[in-house]
Amino acid sequence: MSLLEIKDLHATVDSNEILKGLTLTVEPGRVHSIMGPNGSGKSTLARVIAGHEDYEITGGDILLDGKSVLEMDADERAREGIFMAFQYPVEIPGVSNTEFLKAALNAHRKHHGQDELNAVEFLKIVREKMKTVDMPADLLKRSVNEGFSGGEKKRHEVFQMALLEPGMCVMDETDSGLDIDALRVVADGVNAMRDGSRGFLVITHYQRLLDYIVPDHVHVLMDGRIAKTGGKDLALELEDKGYAWVTEEAA
Amino acid sequence: MTATMTNPSDMTDAVPALSALAERRAAAGPDWLTDVRQQAAARFVELGLPTNKDEEWRYTPLREVLRPAYVPAEDAPAALSSDDLKAFQFEGFDASLLTFVNGRYCPELSDPPTDVTIAPLSEALKAHRGLLESELRRIAERDEDGFARLNSAVLEDGVFIHAPNGTACSRPIRLLHVAVPGAAGGRPFMTHPRNVVIAGEDAQLTLIERYVTIGEGVYLTNAVTQISAGDRAQVAHYLLEQESAEAFNINTLHLQQGTDSKVESHSVLLGGALVRNNVCPVLDGERADCLINGLYIGHGSQHLDNYMNVEHAKAHGDSRQFYKGILDDKSHGVFRGRIVVHVDAQKTDAKQTNANLLLADTAEVDTKPQLEIYADDVKCTHGATIGQIDNDAIFYLRSRGIDEADARAMMIFAFAGESLDRMSVEPIRDALTRELVRQLPRGEFIESVL
């Protein structure tokens, strides 16, 4: 189980303040959705949680199970159980998925005092998880994300999530660029991982995704702060009315 | 730099000393050889060794190479046993072996192939004069470079390999060059090995040349390998440079290609203080096909210079050059790719790319194409890039729990991977991959995920 607490978080990039005092708690087993207009800081939030070095934290804290992660590098946060599904997964020509997944999986296992997997064990686990998101059979031979379609890239993110079994999943606009069938596959993969203890922070621009991944809470992010919080119906309201009324209400 | 000026064995003295050696050597041997040697010696004495003023050597300072007072190889005899060579055994495939210690061919440490003719050069000068003389003369006449002329003038030791028409050599032939610098009583020594390889019509041959060092000390290898591929012959040549940090290696590969011949040259430069890797194919038959593939990986203050000189002499030739450099610390990489398309070489298709990855601000690379086209119906392309590790990729890998050093190692290996993938003989590719991975940062980790 994982508990993510974000407390009065301020973050800047190139001395522009993007997050301006954001507070949010994702309890174990809960799905929180973050919605908001372009430029409100949604992707920044995801990248800051993951530990991207371009952002400077100027105030506040991020705690995972009560422990601050701000001093941890991105890779340590990942091994501690934070997983960010990228909005734009990076193509890495020349690094095969076999090498990549083996390195990632073994880094996690080593961190938790487990033995590294041998080739047979590795393949068994990978094949099993591949089925859950319908990955192509030649996945392991291909370079990381290279030549993948938009849908394949997003499925690949969810596949990695299933493989690494993080306590806290941060999904940055996983629905962007997906057609309805791909969206369903991705959502099924995510829903299969909802086990009552794993937390999810689902960042999205559109309500559509939330038809498939039904959130417990919906937050509206505006100008670097949470401007409004509600239940899953809030997403429908936003879809219907846009974001302007939230601004007015907040003012 | 004042120390350089006062050193009595500075390069100002190297040329007279080498000239004296060349002239002394030239006088020995059969008449026809004396003729070849003397002509080369005369040209060497006249033109000397290259300097930075020579366009082909502009980016490679030879001051350090020419500073030591080298003794000839015969003053550096080294006795090795087969146990000493165990570390240099390739795993995963069977190959014949020709071992050279301090430039001398050692039959007792060799396992020569049985399906082709093999002879030490000294014997071949008599027994195979007909083939050898024309080969040696052809190269001697082409030597444009001081080092190659010196090699022709001295023409020390080496092997003669002849695969007669239609022979498919069953095992790859390994040429293992072992330097034992301590053998010369700590004095720097130099060797000038010459290997002459003839693949007859329809013959097939794979050669793996490897340079290694046992112990420490300064030495200079000035090696020339000449390979002649007859009509429809198929030849693959692999070079693996793994010498010590004090080794100087000037290495020249001449390739002569007949009609419909197919030749591959793969170079992997990992070691040495200063390495000059000359690859000089002449596509002298129609539809000759030539692949030049290489990788140079420098760290510390290594200087790795690659000079390609591809000549298209006949029509419908196809040549492809792919060289990649990975340079760390204060290392310096050089790639110069010259393509000459002669007037008769219509419908030539020549391609050249050079990509470099700089791992440190202090690393340096010079890359320069040079196209000389005298035919009017040809296709020639070239391109060079210099870049750094993609930070977005590093973040992606790290976001999956892989630490920074491992993530960088994966990116470096990925950059090299493309060159390895071009090596068509799978077990050789795997063996070279293992050697390369061992010398990369976090090599053990890379091995664990392969």
Side-chain angles (χ1 to χ4, degrees), chain B residues 32-362:
Chain B
W32 68 268
L33 183 62
T34 301
D35 184 44
V36 173
R37 281 173 167 170
Q38 280 179 341
Q39 280 184 28
R43 293 181 71 198
F44 174 73
V45 171
E46 182 195 340
L47 297 162
L49 285 166
T51 69
N52 289 48
K53 293 194 182 73
D54 293 289
E55 188 54 31
E56 291 77 17
W57 288 86
R58 216 173 115 194
Y59 304 108
T60 297
L62 288 166
R63 196 189 309 115
E64 298 296 325
V65 178
L66 300 177
R67 181 179 294 174
Y70 297 104
V71 298
E74 59 258 39
D75 296 334
L80 294 182
S81 73
S82 51
D83 281 352
D84 298 318
L85 305 182
K86 268 191 183 144
F88 311 118
Q89 189 76 261
F90 284 124
E91 287 159 23
F93 65 97
D94 188 23
S96 56
L97 175 66
L98 306 172
T99 301
F100 299 81
V101 178
N102 289 353
R104 298 282 156 194
Y105 174 57
C106 298
E108 67 280 8
L109 296 174
S110 299
D111 167 24
T114 49
D115 44 6
V116 296
T117 305
I118 296 265
L121 208 56
S122 53
E123 284 173 24
L125 293 172
K126 297 174 207 109
H128 304 282
R129 178 189 160 175
L131 284 167
L132 202 50
E133 182 178 353
S134 60
E135 286 298 316
L136 291 177
R137 282 193 188 276
R138 182 162 46 77
I139 297 302
E141 279 159 18
R142 292 175 50 84
D143 286 343
E144 287 170 15
D145 184 89
F147 285 102
R149 273 182 224 125
L150 180 59
N151 184 290
S152 283
V154 175
L155 210 69
E156 231 167 45
D157 201 354
V159 287
F160 169 79
I161 301 173
H162 180 213
N165 294 354
T167 312
C169 192
S170 58
R171 298 189 292 171
I173 302 170
R174 291 172 54 208
L175 290 91
L176 179 64
H177 299 266
V178 187
V180 189
R187 287 175 301 167
F189 70 92
M190 59 181 169
T191 67
H192 308 272
R194 165 74 64 108
N195 294 311
V196 180
V197 182
I198 301 169
E201 293 174 4
D202 301 291
Q204 291 177 26
L205 204 61
T206 298
L207 295 165
I208 309 165
E209 278 201 89
R210 187 180 191 186
Y211 286 87
V212 298
T213 313
I214 296 177
E216 287 171 20
V218 176
Y219 63 96
L220 167 66
T221 305
N222 174 30
V224 174
T225 298
Q226 52 182 93
I227 301 176
S228 168
D231 295 350
R232 298 170 305 282
Q234 295 190 21
V235 176
H237 177 265
Y238 293 81
L239 171 71
L240 178 58
E241 156 61 59
Q242 291 178 298
E243 288 175 290
S244 67
E246 292 175 284
F248 300 118
N249 191 323
I250 315 287
N251 205 300
T252 302
L253 176 67
H254 284 289
L255 299 165
Q256 183 77 16
Q257 291 195 238
T259 304
D260 290 308
S261 64
K262 211 173 163 197
V263 173
E264 294 178 12
S265 150
H266 305 277
S267 304
V268 179
L269 310 185
L270 301 173
L274 184 147
V275 177
R276 165 75 166 214
N277 171 35
N278 298 310
V279 180
C280 310
V282 181
L283 285 74
D284 201 18
E286 292 198 353
R287 294 174 303 279
D289 183 289
C290 182
L291 168 66
I292 296 175
N293 177 41
L295 197 53
Y296 45 102
I297 301 184
H299 64 274
S301 55
Q302 278 183 290
H303 186 102
L304 304 174
D305 177 357
N306 302 278
Y307 179 70
M308 309 291 120
N309 188 10
V310 179
E311 284 195 48
H312 284 265
K314 295 281 162 59
H316 298 281
D318 187 334
S319 70
R320 299 165 312 284
Q321 303 175 49
F322 304 99
Y323 258 68
K324 289 189 126 183
I326 299 172
L327 300 153
D328 202 353
D329 305 326
K330 288 181 177 168
S331 64
H332 187 171
V334 182
F335 177 84
R336 297 196 44 132
R338 181 172 178 234
I339 300 173
V340 185
V341 182
H342 291 282
V343 67
D344 291 336
Q346 298 294 1
K347 303 282 182 192
T348 284
D349 190 347
K351 186 178 173 183
Q352 174 191 111
T353 66
N354 173 230
N356 296 280
L357 185 63
L358 296 185
L359 301 179
D361 293 342
T362 44

Side-chain angles (χ1 to χ4, degrees), chain A residues 75 79 84 108 157 160, chain B residues 395-396 398-402:
Chain A
D75 48 280
R79 296 191 297 268
M84 177 178 79
H108 277 75
E157 295 294 287
Q160 292 170 48
Chain B
F395 177 63
Y396 190 79
R398 294 183 73 184
S399 77
R400 300 308 182 237
I402 301 164

Side-chain angles (χ1 to χ4, degrees), chain B residues 11-24:
Chain B
M11 63 181 291
T12 47
D13 291 324
V15 171
L18 292 170
S19 299
L21 172 72
E23 284 171 335
R24 195 167 70 238

